[in-house]
Amino acid sequence: MGMTITEKILAAHSGAKNVCPGDIINCRVDILLGNDITAPISIELFEKAGAKRVFNKEKIVFVPDHFAPNKDIQSAEQCKRLREFSRKHKIINYFEVGRMGIEHALLPEMGIVLPGDLIIGADSHTCTYGALGAFSTGIGSTDLAAAMINGKIWFKVPSTIKINLYGKLNRWVSGKDLILYIIGKIGVDGANYRSMEFCGEVIKNLNMDNRLTICNMAIEAGAKNGIIEPDKETLNYIKKKARRKYKMYKSDSDAKYEEILEFNCSRLEPQVSLPHSPENAQPVSEVGNIKIDQVVIGSCTNGRITDLIEAAKILKGKKVNPNVRLLVFPATQAVYKEALKKGLIDIFIDAEGVVSTPTCGPCLGGHMGVLAEGERAVATTNRNFVGRMGHTKSEIYLASPAVAAASAIMGRIASPEEVVGK
Amino acid sequence: MKLRGNVFKYGDNINTDEIIPARYLNTSDPKILGKYCMEDIDRDFTKKVRHGDIIVAGRNFGCGSSREHAPIAIKAAGVSCVIAKSYARIFYRNSINTGLPILECSEAADEAEMADKFEVDLDRGIIKNLTKCKTYKSQPFPKFVQGIIRAGGLMKWVKAGERE
């Protein structure tokens, strides 16, 4: 019987020839990831277990990105813990402030994660790397600690939902709109424990940045992983980055799916997810007159160069509404530099927005843009839960960089077409 | 292992930002995390909760972030067990790994009300609502997972030599 791409990668890393949904397998891990929030717990557990060395100093990646640059003394202590452990154990892939970025933008950009890999990370958005044709999933600090010692993790093989996206996308409809739409259709636990395999002509025509956005939010439907079969675009993306071998897996034509969903995307509008759940997705034209106080463009979901280019197309030559604060976060130092070179940073600053160093900051209400009581934000981030960006009586509307930029200018939730036409 | 406590009842999709808001994640000290447990969904939770009390919730409990601080905070607040209709997968795994007992039981979750008295037999998966005089059966953890819970989490269990 045929296997899906997810089953093939899991089988290859468990030493089995075949695996089926429900099998419990022990897998070899290619890359392990931790950040300044989750890794300190793992380090403590690692040391308490009496472990003397990590299983492989090249396969562990630590990125202080959540509350970095250090937002307060306690955060500074957590980052210090990461730094000191990395020095002691000669962790090659420790990325210090100035050399870092938001982890899920940084790892693909650096060629650290590659097609066919099995990746675990103590961060729920680790599912991002499925866009490269890898099996990648979020875990907790304990699982990370254990894998730091022996390089292994057990999994129950998930069943797969195949999501076929067909049609031709309207201008201003991006990967973010597609994933918000899908989550709106299936709900925040619509793919719980399962794998989401995205395919179809729409996916084929999307660039890697948009694919990364889609897989990034698979967790928002509860999925264990999101994945896209590698193709020419994948090869094109990794060819200058890969410094080790990789393998491009594809699902067999007779692979078994738990469910196959088909969506015609030709008439899709940009989407907005209303408070307080990513599943509250609506076409932007139906949202109504919602005044806003802040716009955040960035995060592991939408802080890549494609995202900044889209936002800049809308903001060019315009000013942000006087009642709105626009915050732009290039996701990595390299994205920041490229945005500078392309003149995007000028566009943002001329529009009277601020541009920040890479950080997860406001996405989880950490720092650099926390909301007060009653304030509303449009954000290109991934969660709009109660209190996520600040006060429990603040509100977050999730959207694409284009919708966020248009909203910043209009001072209310707005479609890009209202600013720059069709 | 038998647990007894009062019910704190919540709805569907309780996420990890509600269980422990990110503004407190600049520490992983269980004592501090426990003080802010459930703050964004129930401001009075930590004032009212007593050692041994039980959280009962709907579908997809613990969705969102992978922060292990969530089960750590629940345990540190004194909660002895969570009963829900279903769990988000990372939270489920994190709970076992940190030694927080969790059970799935839709009927018990549907019929429970705030402040009901519950008794839970973890080894057998038997849940009793003493206030409503009702008994429910849920799938108990397999023996080795019960061992992990008893040891206080995966790493402690491994260190103890997987005796159970």
Side-chain angles (χ1 to χ4, degrees):
Chain A
M1 195 185 70
M3 285 194 287
T4 65
I5 175 170
T6 291
E7 289 157 7
K8 283 184 181 178
I9 298 172
L10 287 172
H13 286 80
S14 72
K17 228 173 155 191
N18 287 289
V19 296
C20 293
D23 287 356
I24 292 183
I25 53 171
N26 206 17
C27 291
R28 181 171 56 73
V29 177
D30 294 309
I31 294 292
L32 289 70
L33 168 71
N35 59 50
D36 54 309
I37 302 290
T38 58
I41 299 180
S42 309
I43 290 169
E44 192 182 334
L45 291 167
F46 178 94
E47 287 170 350
K48 273 194 184 154
K52 294 281 176 282
R53 63 185 67 85
V54 297
F55 88 104
N56 185 323
K57 61 186 167 55
E58 288 167 34
K59 294 188 175 184
I60 296 174
V61 184
F62 287 137
V63 189
D65 58 357
H66 277 59
F67 292 166
N70 307 334
K71 85 173 178 99
D72 53 29
I73 295 168
Q74 282 174 298
S75 304
E77 294 294 338
Q78 297 204 120
C79 291
K80 189 170 144 198
R81 198 89 211 270
L82 219 59
R83 184 177 306 118
E84 288 179 348
F85 183 87
S86 298
R87 277 192 197 137
K88 182 176 171 194
H89 292 274
K90 301 190 168 56
I91 304 292
I92 291 162
N93 291 311
Y94 167 73
F95 293 96
E96 188 55 89
V97 169
R99 276 134 275 178
M100 55 73 109
I102 297 175
E103 50 196 348
H104 307 309
L106 187 70
L107 269 60
E109 177 189 287
M110 302 284 295
I112 291 169
V113 288
L114 293 170
D117 279 356
L118 189 149
I119 305 141
I120 57 170
D123 187 282
S124 61
H125 293 108
T126 303
C127 54
T128 308
Y129 318 131
L132 294 162
F135 175 86
S136 192
T137 191
I139 48 142
S141 299
T142 299
D143 279 324
L144 177 64
M148 279 159 61
I149 298 170
N150 69 6
K152 296 234 165 93
I153 187 163
W154 69 268
F155 286 116
K156 192 164 163 184
V157 177
S159 60
T160 299
I161 307 174
K162 184 173 177 170
I163 298 166
N164 182 13
L165 304 174
Y166 64 95
K168 193 174 174 299
L169 294 186
N170 290 321
R171 179 72 189 105
W172 305 120
V173 173
S174 66
K176 181 61 164 288
D177 303 294
L178 294 167
I179 190 65
L180 291 179
Y181 177 75
I182 293 165
I183 296 164
K185 289 284 171 206
I186 69 174
V188 288
D189 64 349
N192 201 4
Y193 289 91
R194 288 172 285 177
S195 171
M196 291 171 96
E197 185 177 321
F198 303 99
C199 63
E201 60 176 315
V202 169
I203 297 288
K204 283 266 165 241
N205 293 326
L206 281 182
N207 72 6
M208 187 51 70
D209 284 357
N210 276 292
R211 294 181 186 188
L212 289 160
T213 301
I214 292 178
C215 289
N216 172 274
M217 287 191 71
I219 181 66
E220 262 51 75
K224 181 172 268 183
N225 70 315
I227 198 160
I228 293 172
E229 275 185 6
D231 60 8
K232 269 194 212 150
E233 168 64 16
T234 320
L235 270 180
N236 199 33
Y237 181 85
I238 60 164
K239 71 181 173 212
K240 284 191 189 143
K241 301 176 165 63
R243 277 161 292 138
R244 60 182 168 87
K245 277 193 191 154
Y246 54 87
K247 197 165 173 189
M248 316 250 288
Y249 290 93
K250 287 193 183 295
S251 293
D252 291 324
S253 54
D254 60 343
K256 250 184 126 173
Y257 292 93
E258 186 184 307
E259 205 176 343
I260 298 177
L261 302 175
E262 311 244 348
F263 295 109
N264 181 352
C265 305
S266 292
R267 302 184 68 177
L268 202 65
E269 262 189 63
Q271 303 284 303
V272 176
S273 282
L274 276 45
H276 293 283
S277 174
E279 73 184 17
N280 298 336
Q282 274 193 10
V284 64
S285 65
E286 290 172 23
V287 172
N289 184 16
I290 307 277
K291 294 231 172 10
I292 56 167
D293 305 285
Q294 177 166 296
V295 169
V296 173
I297 297 176
S299 84
C300 63
T301 311
N302 278 128
R304 300 181 185 82
I305 194 68
T306 304
D307 303 313
L308 301 189
I309 291 171
E310 288 296 287
K313 280 179 191 160
I314 312 263
L315 287 159
K316 191 172 184 180
K318 304 213 167 49
K319 297 276 186 220
V320 170
N321 185 283
N323 299 320
V324 175
R325 314 175 297 264
L326 168 66
L327 317 176
V328 183
F329 297 79
T332 66
Q333 292 286 91
V335 170
Y336 204 139
K337 244 185 118 174
E338 202 177 339
L340 262 173
K341 247 200 275 179
K342 288 186 189 301
L344 310 182
I345 304 295
D346 277 339
I347 293 174
F348 299 139
I349 292 175
D350 289 344
E352 297 175 346
V354 295
V355 183
S356 158
T357 187
T359 178
C360 305
C363 172
L364 72 166
H367 61 154
M368 299 292 292
V370 174
L371 297 173
E373 181 172 358
E375 287 194 323
R376 280 200 195 113
V378 172
T380 67
T381 57
N382 40 57
R383 292 191 177 128
N384 54 353
F385 299 152
V386 169
R388 172 80 177 177
M389 200 175 273
H391 198 279
T392 50
K393 286 187 181 139
S394 60
E395 292 183 346
I396 306 161
Y397 293 75
L398 301 175
S400 70
V403 169
S407 304
I409 293 166
M410 303 299 283
R412 58 170 171 82
I413 294 177
S415 151
E417 289 178 2
E418 293 183 60
V419 179
V420 291
K422 289 205 180 187
Chain B
M1 196 159 31
K2 275 203 179 159
L3 313 167
R4 262 180 106 126
N6 292 343
V7 163
F8 284 81
K9 171 91 185 265
Y10 302 103
D12 293 337
N13 301 316
I14 301 299
N15 63 68
T16 51
D17 280 273
E18 289 168 324
I19 296 169
I20 183 72
R23 57 184 171 275
Y24 302 119
L25 300 187
N26 54 7
T27 179
S28 53
D29 182 344
K31 277 193 220 97
I32 300 172
L33 295 172
K35 277 205 300 206
Y36 302 110
C37 185
M38 308 304 276
E39 183 176 283
D40 280 2
I41 186 163
D42 183 355
R43 282 217 162 254
D44 298 328
F45 176 79
T46 50
K47 283 183 217 142
K48 293 182 295 190
V49 70
R50 294 281 168 270
H51 192 80
D53 283 350
I54 291 167
I55 289 178
V56 178
R59 274 170 40 218
N60 203 26
F61 185 84
C63 62
S65 148
S66 70
R67 62 188 72 156
E68 211 157 277
H69 310 65
I72 291 172
I74 292 174
K75 250 181 100 173
V79 171
S80 65
C81 171
V82 179
I83 298 165
K85 289 188 186 178
S86 65
Y87 296 91
R89 58 162 278 276
I90 305 179
F91 180 88
Y92 187 87
R93 203 167 165 133
N94 285 349
S95 297
I96 294 171
N97 283 345
T98 53
L100 171 70
I102 54 175
L103 291 172
E104 272 186 23
C105 186
S106 286
E107 257 195 300
D110 273 334
E111 293 176 8
E113 287 178 89
M114 208 52 136
D116 279 358
K117 278 204 185 330
F118 262 42
E119 185 182 273
V120 178
D121 181 340
L122 272 187
D123 303 346
R124 293 160 62 216
I126 308 250
I127 301 166
K128 284 185 185 162
N129 185 332
L130 303 173
T131 309
K132 298 198 162 53
C133 302
K134 286 215 125 173
T135 301
Y136 312 93
K137 181 95 184 78
S138 77
Q139 184 76 32
F141 278 133
K143 276 259 172 310
F144 81 97
V145 176
Q146 288 181 25
I148 295 174
I149 300 283
R150 216 168 285 142
L154 180 70
M155 297 302 268
K156 286 182 186 156
W157 180 70
V158 170
K159 214 175 171 200
E162 306 181 11
R163 276 190 301 265
E164 297 185 72

